């Protein structure tokens, strides 16, 4: 059930090549085998080049999925045909599986602006009445409140912990604190809370199908253009790696 996953390095970072990420991770969730899930994209790869702590966190994760179009492009250049696995969709699958497993598999929502995680959790509980919510905290906690959160996680040990703090903060926070609840499935969900809460929308299906979801995100958040400069840099490095 938990056999070693195939993986391929993307600029030194592992990407696991699974046919069914949902099933593999769902089995671990069911058996309460601890996992850190990283949703890798080109921007994160470029950040990891200058952030060793982030690179280490990715290396130690039990599952690194190809979330971004850039990662899929890199794999394709190296002859690896892999389907993109959007992190938001994997997180949604885990929520559905947790609800199906019942009240003994509670979920914790942590991150986002005040009120957003609560709205996201409420929206999911309306869709999935059997979903057990272990707790909800926004991402703007005081040091004292964050310490209280850590005590809660250690005491309650939720089965699934969704962390929406953005990259790289969420990956670093999970790597630092996952010992508090070692049997949990931890996944950084970025801005997914905003989408679940109805504050933002995902790209239309035709953009997602053509690996252009990043373009829609730039349309929604034009202030991200500086960060998006990592995409052409990544593409150039990917081509140079292949030629080398």
């Amino acid at each position: 059930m938990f056999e070693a996953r195939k993986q391929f390095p993307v600029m030194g970072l592992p990407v696991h090549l699974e046919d069914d990420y949902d099933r593999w991770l769902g089995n671990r969730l069911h058996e309460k085998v601890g996992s850190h899930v990283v949703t890798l994209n080109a921007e994160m790869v470029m950040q990891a080049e200058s952030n060793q702590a982030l690179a280490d966190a990715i290396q130690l994760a039990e599952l690194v999925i190809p979330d971004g179009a850039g990662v899929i492009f890199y794999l394709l250049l190296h002859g690896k045909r892999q389907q993109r696995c959007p992190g938001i969709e994997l997180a949604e699958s885990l929520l559905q599986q947790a609800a199906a497993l019942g009240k003994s598999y509670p979920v914790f929502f942590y991150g986002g602006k005040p009120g957003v995680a609560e709205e996201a959790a409420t929206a999911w509980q309306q869709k999935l009445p059997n979903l057990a919510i272990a707790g909800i905290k926004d991402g703007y906690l005081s040091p004292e409140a964050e310490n209280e959160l850590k005590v809660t996680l250690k005491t309650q040990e939720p089965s699934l912990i969704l962390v929406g703090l953005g990259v790289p903060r969420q990956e670093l926070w999970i790597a630092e604190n996952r010992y508090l609840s070692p049997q949990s499935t931890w996944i950084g969900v970025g801005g997914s809370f905003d989408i679940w809460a109805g504050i933002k929308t995902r790209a239309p299906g035709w953009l997602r199908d053509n690996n252009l979801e990043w373009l829609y995100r730039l349309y929604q958040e034009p202030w991200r253009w500086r960060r998006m400069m990592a995409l052409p840099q990544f593409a150039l490095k990917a081509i140079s790696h292949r030629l080398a």
Side-chain angles (χ1 to χ4, degrees), residues 33-56:
V33 178
S35 306
H36 177 191
V37 184
V38 171
T39 61
L40 193 69
N41 59 23
E43 186 180 338
M44 196 187 300
V45 173
M46 297 305 292
Q47 286 189 39
E49 286 199 335
S50 58
N51 186 333
Q52 188 58 48
L54 175 59
D56 290 343

Side-chain angles (χ1 to χ4, degrees), residues 178-221:
R178 59 176 298 191
Y179 76 93
L180 296 168
S181 188
Q183 295 181 325
S184 301
T185 297
W186 304 66
I187 178 170
V189 296
S192 297
F193 291 165
D194 287 336
I195 294 173
W196 296 336
I199 296 171
K200 295 178 182 176
T201 58
R202 284 193 73 189
W206 67 271
L207 282 175
R208 298 200 302 266
D209 293 343
N210 288 282
N211 292 325
L212 292 172
E213 194 163 7
W214 62 271
L215 189 60
Y216 187 78
R217 191 169 184 185
L218 182 59
Y219 164 74
Q220 284 191 315
E221 303 172 340

